[in-house]
mmCIF file of all heavy atoms in Angstrom:
data_model
loop_
_atom_site.group_PDB
_atom_site.id
_atom_site.type_symbol
_atom_site.label_atom_id
_atom_site.label_comp_id
_atom_site.label_asym_id
_atom_site.label_seq_id
_atom_site.Cartn_x
_atom_site.Cartn_y
_atom_site.Cartn_z
ATOM 1 N N ASN A 183 149.874 137.143 143.310
ATOM 2 C CA ASN A 183 149.449 137.097 141.919
ATOM 3 C C ASN A 183 148.129 137.878 141.705
ATOM 4 O O ASN A 183 147.395 137.617 140.742
ATOM 5 C CB ASN A 183 149.211 135.616 141.521
ATOM 6 C CG ASN A 183 150.457 134.789 141.551
ATOM 7 O OD1 ASN A 183 151.309 134.847 140.746
ATOM 8 N ND2 ASN A 183 150.545 133.955 142.630
ATOM 9 N N ARG A 269 176.935 122.346 135.372
ATOM 10 C CA ARG A 269 176.489 121.281 136.341
ATOM 11 C C ARG A 269 174.995 121.247 136.297
ATOM 12 O O ARG A 269 174.339 122.150 135.836
ATOM 13 C CB ARG A 269 177.028 121.706 137.720
ATOM 14 C CG ARG A 269 178.533 121.750 137.839
ATOM 15 C CD ARG A 269 178.961 122.389 139.108
ATOM 16 N NE ARG A 269 180.386 122.450 139.314
ATOM 17 C CZ ARG A 269 181.035 123.139 140.182
ATOM 18 N NH1 ARG A 269 180.351 123.946 141.041
ATOM 19 N NH2 ARG A 269 182.311 123.147 140.313
ATOM 20 N N PHE A 279 165.405 130.562 135.172
ATOM 21 C CA PHE A 279 165.458 131.931 134.754
ATOM 22 C C PHE A 279 164.675 132.091 133.404
ATOM 23 O O PHE A 279 163.922 133.083 133.287
ATOM 24 C CB PHE A 279 166.881 132.403 134.560
ATOM 25 C CG PHE A 279 167.008 133.829 134.092
ATOM 26 C CD1 PHE A 279 166.958 134.832 135.029
ATOM 27 C CD2 PHE A 279 167.135 134.157 132.745
ATOM 28 C CE1 PHE A 279 167.028 136.223 134.635
ATOM 29 C CE2 PHE A 279 167.135 135.445 132.373
ATOM 30 C CZ PHE A 279 167.123 136.469 133.284
ATOM 31 N N VAL A 288 171.330 133.571 144.002
ATOM 32 C CA VAL A 288 171.855 133.808 145.336
ATOM 33 C C VAL A 288 172.658 132.581 145.829
ATOM 34 O O VAL A 288 172.625 132.264 146.996
ATOM 35 C CB VAL A 288 170.765 134.207 146.339
ATOM 36 C CG1 VAL A 288 170.166 135.500 146.052
ATOM 37 C CG2 VAL A 288 169.615 133.130 146.366
ATOM 38 N N ASP A 379 175.492 142.512 138.454
ATOM 39 C CA ASP A 379 176.418 141.829 139.290
ATOM 40 C C ASP A 379 176.497 142.525 140.623
ATOM 41 O O ASP A 379 176.332 143.778 140.685
ATOM 42 C CB ASP A 379 177.859 141.814 138.649
ATOM 43 C CG ASP A 379 178.732 140.714 139.283
ATOM 44 O OD1 ASP A 379 178.209 139.922 140.095
ATOM 45 O OD2 ASP A 379 179.905 140.705 138.941
ATOM 46 N N GLU A 387 170.589 154.744 146.203
ATOM 47 C CA GLU A 387 170.119 155.741 145.322
ATOM 48 C C GLU A 387 170.975 155.972 144.128
ATOM 49 O O GLU A 387 170.505 156.226 143.004
ATOM 50 C CB GLU A 387 169.975 157.125 146.126
ATOM 51 C CG GLU A 387 168.970 157.066 147.197
ATOM 52 C CD GLU A 387 167.572 156.687 146.788
ATOM 53 O OE1 GLU A 387 167.222 157.020 145.676
ATOM 54 O OE2 GLU A 387 166.885 155.996 147.573
ATOM 55 N N GLU A 410 171.911 146.339 155.371
ATOM 56 C CA GLU A 410 171.635 146.730 156.758
ATOM 57 C C GLU A 410 170.532 147.773 156.853
ATOM 58 O O GLU A 410 170.060 148.067 157.932
ATOM 59 C CB GLU A 410 172.934 147.326 157.313
ATOM 60 C CG GLU A 410 174.095 146.347 157.376
ATOM 61 C CD GLU A 410 173.703 145.041 157.989
ATOM 62 O OE1 GLU A 410 173.286 144.958 159.140
ATOM 63 O OE2 GLU A 410 173.731 143.960 157.239
ATOM 64 N N ARG A 446 185.944 133.609 167.553
ATOM 65 C CA ARG A 446 186.904 133.513 168.646
ATOM 66 C C ARG A 446 186.965 134.828 169.454
ATOM 67 O O ARG A 446 187.271 135.876 168.900
ATOM 68 C CB ARG A 446 188.320 133.232 168.048
ATOM 69 C CG ARG A 446 188.366 132.066 167.129
ATOM 70 C CD ARG A 446 188.598 130.777 167.815
ATOM 71 N NE ARG A 446 189.986 130.712 168.358
ATOM 72 C CZ ARG A 446 190.311 129.907 169.398
ATOM 73 N NH1 ARG A 446 189.438 129.147 169.958
ATOM 74 N NH2 ARG A 446 191.536 129.897 169.795
ATOM 75 N N HIS A 468 185.435 151.575 168.659
ATOM 76 C CA HIS A 468 185.368 150.456 167.797
ATOM 77 C C HIS A 468 186.731 150.121 167.194
ATOM 78 O O HIS A 468 187.157 148.961 167.084
ATOM 79 C CB HIS A 468 184.391 150.639 166.625
ATOM 80 C CG HIS A 468 182.961 150.856 167.077
ATOM 81 N ND1 HIS A 468 182.370 150.116 168.106
ATOM 82 C CD2 HIS A 468 181.987 151.709 166.651
ATOM 83 C CE1 HIS A 468 181.106 150.492 168.228
ATOM 84 N NE2 HIS A 468 180.889 151.504 167.416
ATOM 85 N N ASP A 498 189.810 146.048 158.381
ATOM 86 C CA ASP A 498 189.156 147.286 157.949
ATOM 87 C C ASP A 498 189.975 148.521 158.218
ATOM 88 O O ASP A 498 189.766 149.572 157.677
ATOM 89 C CB ASP A 498 187.809 147.471 158.695
ATOM 90 C CG ASP A 498 186.626 147.092 157.822
ATOM 91 O OD1 ASP A 498 186.896 146.419 156.762
ATOM 92 O OD2 ASP A 498 185.458 147.384 158.154
ATOM 93 N N LEU A 500 193.650 150.460 158.284
ATOM 94 C CA LEU A 500 194.949 150.420 157.593
ATOM 95 C C LEU A 500 196.089 150.230 158.548
ATOM 96 O O LEU A 500 197.048 149.455 158.264
ATOM 97 C CB LEU A 500 195.141 151.723 156.803
ATOM 98 C CG LEU A 500 194.165 151.934 155.676
ATOM 99 C CD1 LEU A 500 194.523 153.260 154.916
ATOM 100 C CD2 LEU A 500 194.164 150.787 154.645
ATOM 101 N N ARG A 523 200.198 146.770 140.713
ATOM 102 C CA ARG A 523 200.881 145.971 141.739
ATOM 103 C C ARG A 523 199.850 145.049 142.425
ATOM 104 O O ARG A 523 200.181 143.855 142.761
ATOM 105 C CB ARG A 523 201.579 146.897 142.718
ATOM 106 C CG ARG A 523 202.435 146.079 143.736
ATOM 107 C CD ARG A 523 203.222 146.932 144.647
ATOM 108 N NE ARG A 523 203.849 146.125 145.661
ATOM 109 C CZ ARG A 523 203.863 146.456 146.944
ATOM 110 N NH1 ARG A 523 203.430 147.595 147.349
ATOM 111 N NH2 ARG A 523 204.441 145.659 147.830
ATOM 112 N N ASP A 550 188.575 137.388 142.462
ATOM 113 C CA ASP A 550 188.504 135.917 142.308
ATOM 114 C C ASP A 550 189.786 135.286 142.824
ATOM 115 O O ASP A 550 190.800 135.364 142.172
ATOM 116 C CB ASP A 550 188.310 135.586 140.843
ATOM 117 C CG ASP A 550 188.050 134.106 140.631
ATOM 118 O OD1 ASP A 550 187.643 133.435 141.601
ATOM 119 O OD2 ASP A 550 188.297 133.603 139.534
#
Side-chain angles (χ1 to χ4, degrees):
N183 298 284
R269 297 168 179 167
F279 180 85
V288 293
D379 197 9
E387 296 303 326
E410 299 311 298
R446 306 274 288 158
H468 298 318
D498 259 15
L500 295 181
R523 187 173 169 222
D550 187 24

